[in-house]
Amino acid sequence: MNTTSRQLPLTLRYPPDQRLDAFFAPPEGALAQLRALARGGDWLYLAGPEGVGKTHLALGFCAEAEAIGQSAHYLPLAAVAGRLGDALPAPQAGAGIAIDGLEHIAGHANDEVALFHFHNAARAAGAAVLYTARANPDELGIGLPDLHSRLGQLTRISLQPADEAGRIAILRERAERRGLVLEDAATEWLLRRVDRDLASLTRLLDRLDRESLAAQRRLTVPFLRAVLGGETEPSRST
């Protein structure tokens, strides 16, 4: 993370949608574990498929660390795969460090070696580290045995996709944060036609907030059709 991004105000770097308290239906005890980690508790490994909120919790953890006066670093591995050694922060005592997306460096020997050395240095420095990945260590394809072993020793939190009722609740709650009111019909229309992962829903609501304000329109199905109708497709079952 560069110096400029580290110096951005907390409210800009970690918006309300990505705080720990804004996470819908977390696994029992997960938020308490993340808050404890920000204060020097056990290192954590968040595992779950794409779109379940791993990045949300990683950013929320960083916000929590900064809120109590610790430095925080968020590193998305998708952006630095192949050059991880140059991107990893220098571990410091008490610093909260979120390493997001281990699957992006799994099988890349140089990145794995760099992460292994970082892991050991962070332990020695007394940093607080959170890893996220789409799978457990045994299923990631980590080639470096020592790194695989270190990751396998961490306390693990497993995330599952929200069910239909959960997705509706998330969408409505995030709309309410923006002062938007989603009618039942509009909610159902959106969930049938757009990507359902949390990041996509957040970006969509930000856009709809701007569009509805500019047009002075409520979020009705006709308005959604006018704004998004040509850009959406019916969701496919999997």
Side-chain angles (χ1 to χ4, degrees), residues 7 22 31 33 50 52 63 106-107 110 116 129 138 150 172 201 216 230:
Q7 293 177 346
L31 299 188
Q33 288 175 293
E50 184 177 6
V52 295
N110 290 339
F116 173 72
V129 177
D138 288 345
R150 298 293 193 280
R172 286 179 172 165
L201 288 175
Q216 294 295 296

Side-chain angles (χ1 to χ4, degrees), residues 121-163:
R123 279 288 193 201
V129 177
L130 168 68
Y131 292 106
T132 83
R134 292 181 187 170
N136 294 325
D138 288 345
E139 302 164 336
L140 266 186
I142 296 288
L144 185 63
D146 287 340
L147 177 60
H148 178 275
S149 175
R150 298 293 193 280
L151 295 174
Q153 294 168 7
L154 300 179
T155 300
R156 197 172 305 164
I157 298 174
S158 295
L159 301 177
Q160 302 298 326
D163 59 15

Side-chain angles (χ1 to χ4, degrees), residues 37-40 61 65 68-72 91-97 122 125-128:
L37 174 60
R39 292 161 174 77
F61 159 70
I68 61 172
Q70 303 287 11
S71 63
Q92 299 176 351
I97 304 173

Side-chain angles (χ1 to χ4, degrees), residues 97-127:
I97 304 173
I99 307 295
D100 192 10
L102 289 174
E103 65 276 0
H104 295 289
I105 61 95
H108 298 276
N110 290 339
D111 285 349
E112 290 187 6
V113 169
L115 188 60
F116 173 72
H117 290 308
F118 162 82
H119 185 104
N120 291 338
R123 279 288 193 201

